[in-house]
Amino acid sequence: MCVGGFVLDAPVAGSETSAVRACVIFNPAAKGQKAERFRRCLDAIAAECALKRTTAPGDARALAAEAIRAGFETIFAAGGDGTLNEVLNGFADAPDGFSRARLGLLPLGTVNVFARELGIPLQPDAAWQLLRCAGERRIDLPCVEHGGAHERKRHYFAQMAGAGLDARAIELVSWSHKKRIGPLAYVVAGVKALAEKQARITVRVERRASSVEGANDPGPRPVALDSPPGGGQLILIGNGRLYGGSFRVFPGADACDGLLDVCIFPRANWLTLIRCALPLLLGKRLPEGAVRRFRSESFALLSESPAPFEIDGELAGHLPASFSVKRAGLRVLVPEKGDG
């Protein structure tokens, strides 16, 4: 079934029309070949849905929340993983945003991991043609909470998160390098991060314990598990199979199982890099002997020394942080089977 009903945003404030259903949030100043191809098909897009332009960081989040409050039912994020994450958190800012609207993705970024996971074409014009008549799928919705007791923050993410070395590399990425050499900019930053002393990150998992029947039984209670999984110097978290592009870092992950897949590197050093590089480059997978894995619906990451974390490839804060997932919490547009 086609998404249907796409028309340009009504110019009159407060006008009542059920035809206004979808909008595309994009950065008109975006650079690169993908952005140029996207701009060439703007006229066709504008004939079917509203266009909402960002002018500064954070605008995509505000525009997504505003669109949902205005009654838009489909919100397209036209950009990279960072734009996607802004739009996703805009859903959270609108009352019942995740149930009222669904997410579409037109990939314009450097890596576009979430688009790859969903099977969306990486060229925005091709993605638009497929998603115009896309099917809807419900997938799990992860989130992270962090900050002090009086400034607790919650951020949602779609595909992946990480703490330790990968987040530090993102922190060190040069914007000019990223635009000039693409994904290799993360490699350069990663080499810089490897030269630094790595923080030790502890993983704390809470599960519901079975209760003992009795008149005074308080019911199931959270129990902290110290081992497994233990901890390490690099923790990667996946809602899907892919990380950093087409690398299957979480080969058993399922975005519909209500669990997050966690990959722990006990050491993040040159030896680990050498051990993992060839299997990743040739087979797109990690050597299982180099990592430990577990799945959980909630857990916390802690560190005695400063340790950054990222979500969907964007620096989000510093540990401690608590991660959880809501099963089937996000509505997304995906190509129908057989498309493309």
Side-chain angles (χ1 to χ4, degrees), residues 13-129:
S15 62
E16 295 181 2
T17 169
S18 60
V20 178
R21 294 173 54 87
C23 72
V24 175
I25 296 173
F26 72 104
N27 177 8
K31 307 294 184 182
Q33 292 182 350
K34 289 181 181 178
E36 182 59 33
R37 291 185 67 169
F38 171 73
R39 280 191 285 270
R40 286 201 296 266
C41 62
L42 274 180
D43 287 344
I45 294 175
E48 299 187 57
C49 66
L51 301 179
K52 294 185 178 290
R53 299 165 174 83
T54 65
T55 59
D59 277 4
R61 178 171 182 166
L63 288 171
E66 175 188 281
I68 294 172
R69 292 190 187 101
F72 285 92
E73 298 172 328
T74 303
I75 314 295
F76 285 93
D81 294 316
T83 301
L84 160 69
N85 192 264
E86 278 197 32
V87 169
L88 187 66
N89 282 279
F91 277 52
D93 293 340
D96 300 318
F98 289 112
S99 60
R100 292 168 61 186
R102 54 189 178 180
L103 175 70
L105 181 59
L106 301 175
L108 304 181
T110 305
V111 183
N112 302 304
V113 186
F114 191 52
R116 293 172 187 267
E117 184 75 40
L118 296 180
I120 295 173
L122 299 185
Q123 296 302 329
D125 47 353
W128 172 249
Q129 291 304 320

Side-chain angles (χ1 to χ4, degrees), residues 266-279:
R267 295 285 183 270
N269 52 28
W270 286 106
L271 182 60
T272 302
L273 177 63
I274 293 170
R275 185 177 181 184
C276 295
L278 198 59

